[in-house]
Amino acid sequence: MKLSKLVNTDKDVDIKGITADSREVKPGFLFGGITDDKYIADAISKGAAAVIVADDYAGRMPQNTIMIKSSDPGQTYAVAVARYFGKTPEHLLAVTGTNGKTSIADFVRQVLTMMGYRAASIGTLGLIKGNNAPIPSPNTTPNNVSLHRELKALADEGINYAVLEASSHGLHQHRLGGVTFEVAGFTNLTRDHLDYHKTFENYLEAKLILFRQNLKQGGTAVLNADIDVFGKIASVCEQRGQKIISYGTMGQDIKLISSDPLAHGQKLEIDYFGQPKSFELPLVGEFQAMNALCALGMLAAATGLPDDVIHFIPLIKGAKGRLEFVGQTANNASVYVDYAHTPDALSNALRSLRPHTSGRLHVVFGCGGNRDTGKRPLMGKVAHDLADVVYITDDNPRFENPDDIRNEIIPACPGAYNIADRAKAIEMAISNLLPGDTLIIAGKGHETGQYIQGKVIPFSDQEEVLKNL
């Protein structure tokens, strides 16, 4: 493909590949996405035909390498990747927010598949096509080249709907640059990733990239009306001529009227585009009700069939590791696994299970290493305030001393058990369950390994539960 088809330039050359990893550069490649002089020099030495650099780049290029200067080199590279691969499924949807992205993307794919469409989802669980098993991915939002290669492959397979999880890291790092969505959802905004974004305002601005750059003008934004930043998000969307579907207890379009707990689900009463509707959702927790309403709004907008899509919501299944009911003990205590790894998510999970618990509510959790340390005492306080029995254990310590992580949680959670070994913590928690009790094991959800000192040690919360049940 000609360089002029990928970037704005009056110089031209055949481009044989594109990458942001200088180790992958071969003669004839376009290199971009990284502005570090060391990697630019490495790409040039390996025969890059063209390199995207910042406007203030002071280095020199050999005669056979074209220099592309840009005020926003990350976005320029992302657009070039999109143009290089070209083809995507006809209908693209995305969802962002601190919590709920995985469940909503999964619900949307499930319903589209049940309706007879060929659909896929891309996110934390990996790439899922139709009802097939997930193909794992290392990131919630894949890098530009991986993402566009996947989107092109999906289009070539005849898949016409794809729904993506848009993480704040992925948006800020331009991994979704050049992708245009018809529908975008926003779930909520609570404390997470401040080790990366530094401030809450920066975190929100990263999320808003989805609506400022990726959601097309005239597209539909499905927004949670119950969150503090609803007005700001809605203002951004209105400025770009995007239609807004609001949902939640304060939603104008999809309004949650009531939620009544059932054994392993809930009955919802909603106002649905001006019409009263009621149905049973086979998932527990108000946050799952909110996730279902967001998915409902996205589906209605994407298909143009609001009266059809609502009939499939009672048939959805929970995403792996998202308030997942794993089983019951011999004395009829229930055990759940959830991915909750933020204070808000842990609070939602515990509050969701309380109405389904006639006895005591138990929680096993820890915090990840080399991540936002400020949330550790906050999660400890949530567990202390909302659970009856608390077990603090290791999560993914990564390169931190796991004892130090637990010791940052414990002061906010007096009386908690402190058990480093996660398997032993789960075993002890299950052995302490009485009739009517509920246990939630939080933090890892769908994950099948623990990240410790650069290694991934096989570990599944679900498997540990089943061993003990």
Side-chain angles (χ1 to χ4, degrees):
M1 183 177 288
K2 292 291 185 183
L3 178 63
S4 60
K5 298 287 187 183
L6 305 177
V7 296
N8 295 325
T9 179
D10 55 2
K11 299 177 181 179
D12 229 346
V13 67
D14 285 325
I15 297 297
K16 298 177 181 176
I18 187 167
T19 185
D21 187 338
S22 64
R23 296 169 298 183
E24 296 177 354
V25 172
K26 296 178 182 177
F29 269 46
L30 170 62
F31 175 78
I34 303 292
T35 55
D36 188 297
D37 288 0
K38 179 177 70 174
Y39 298 113
I40 291 173
D42 188 34
I44 292 169
S45 72
K46 290 179 177 173
V51 176
I52 299 169
V53 299
D55 280 339
D56 60 357
Y57 178 72
R60 301 186 65 179
M61 296 279 169
Q63 242 180 347
N64 60 344
T65 304
I66 298 170
M67 179 167 58
I68 309 296
K69 286 198 169 186
S70 170
S71 59
D72 191 348
Q75 181 67 7
T76 299
Y77 168 74
V79 171
V81 173
R83 291 173 177 171
Y84 183 82
F85 287 93
K87 198 174 180 183
T88 68
E90 183 181 358
H91 305 286
L92 294 178
L93 300 81
V95 57
T96 195
T98 306
N99 303 311
K101 297 185 296 295
T102 299
S103 291
I104 292 165
D106 205 64
F107 296 165
V108 170
R109 175 190 50 76
Q110 286 183 50
V111 171
L112 288 170
T113 302
M114 284 188 277
M115 292 178 72
Y117 297 108
R118 299 200 63 193
S121 58
I122 299 173
T124 306
L125 299 179
L127 168 64
I128 306 178
K129 294 183 275 190
N131 292 320
N132 296 331
I135 301 169
S137 171
N139 300 107
T140 297
T141 307
N143 69 58
N144 302 83
V145 171
S146 297
L147 175 60
H148 283 281
R149 186 179 287 122
E150 283 182 357
L151 291 175
K152 184 178 186 300
L154 293 175
D156 288 341
E157 287 180 44
I159 289 174
N160 48 9
Y161 281 90
V163 54
L164 282 65
E165 292 180 52
S167 69
S168 59
H169 287 73
L171 288 163
H172 185 255
Q173 295 168 6
H174 300 283
R175 291 186 224 157
L176 287 169
V179 185
T180 301
F181 297 99
E182 294 180 343
V183 179
F186 198 110
T187 64
N188 49 47
L189 196 75
T190 61
R191 183 179 180 127
D192 200 14
H193 304 308
L194 295 193
D195 55 314
Y196 178 85
H197 295 291
K198 307 304 180 188
T199 69
F200 202 74
E201 290 72 24
N202 291 344
Y203 183 36
L204 173 60
E205 286 302 314
K207 297 289 191 186
L208 287 175
I209 291 170
L210 179 61
F211 301 90
R212 287 194 168 117
Q213 296 182 12
N214 296 100
L215 180 60
K216 72 177 185 180
Q217 291 191 342
T220 301
V222 181
L223 309 179
N224 184 347
D226 295 349
I227 59 176
D228 293 341
V229 292
F230 169 75
K232 182 166 185 177
I233 305 168
S235 177
V236 168
C237 297
E238 287 164 355
Q239 290 169 18
R240 299 200 65 234
Q242 294 157 352
K243 179 184 175 184
I244 295 172
I245 292 177
S246 66
Y247 70 94
T249 61
M250 298 174 65
Q252 293 295 307
D253 304 286
I254 305 176
K255 182 180 181 69
L256 179 61
I257 306 298
S258 67
S259 169
D260 296 316
L262 304 172
H264 293 292
Q266 54 192 307
K267 182 178 180 181
L268 301 184
E269 300 278 348
I270 67 172
D271 184 294
Y272 186 59
F273 299 104
Q275 297 294 319
K277 301 283 184 182
S278 66
F279 56 88
E280 290 187 6
L281 183 70
L283 306 166
V284 301
E286 184 176 325
F287 76 94
Q288 286 286 41
M290 294 291 281
N291 289 341
L293 297 191
C294 183
L296 196 49
M298 292 177 66
L299 286 159
T303 64
L305 301 169
D307 292 334
D308 291 351
V309 295
I310 193 170
H311 296 301
F312 293 92
I313 294 296
L315 304 178
I316 59 177
K317 297 178 181 177
K320 180 73 172 175
R322 270 60 182 177
L323 214 55
E324 178 186 353
F325 174 67
V326 182
Q328 287 185 310
T329 62
N331 61 5
N332 290 321
S334 298
V335 184
Y336 290 80
V337 167
D338 191 69
Y339 191 50
H341 58 278
T342 67
D344 184 66
L346 185 60
S347 174
N348 282 336
L350 290 168
R351 290 181 189 277
S352 295
L353 289 173
R354 180 61 77 180
H356 302 270
T357 304
S358 59
R360 300 171 301 165
L361 182 56
H362 304 239
V363 61
V364 172
F365 82 102
C367 289
N370 303 111
R371 295 293 187 269
D372 180 5
T373 59
K375 69 182 181 182
R376 293 171 186 174
L378 299 179
M379 291 185 70
K381 187 175 188 316
V382 167
H384 178 263
D385 291 349
L386 299 180
D388 300 307
V389 187
V390 180
Y391 304 81
I392 297 170
T393 189
D394 292 344
D395 189 283
N396 292 319
R398 298 184 176 88
F399 293 96
E400 276 196 71
N401 182 332
D403 294 342
D404 293 342
I405 298 173
R406 296 194 313 281
N407 288 336
E408 290 183 36
I409 303 171
I410 287 169
C413 200
Y417 292 96
N418 181 1
I419 305 170
D421 187 307
R422 194 173 180 92
K424 288 182 179 177
I426 292 171
E427 180 183 13
M428 181 176 178
I430 291 176
S431 70
N432 285 342
L433 293 175
L434 300 174
D437 285 1
T438 300
L439 166 64
I440 178 169
I441 301 160
K444 294 180 60 58
H446 63 283
E447 295 177 354
T448 56
Q450 268 188 298
Y451 296 81
I452 303 172
Q453 295 297 321
K455 297 179 180 178
V456 180
I457 311 301
F459 191 94
S460 162
D461 284 350
Q462 288 89 338
E463 288 182 9
E464 291 302 320
V465 170
L466 293 173
K467 282 180 194 175
N468 287 282
L469 292 185

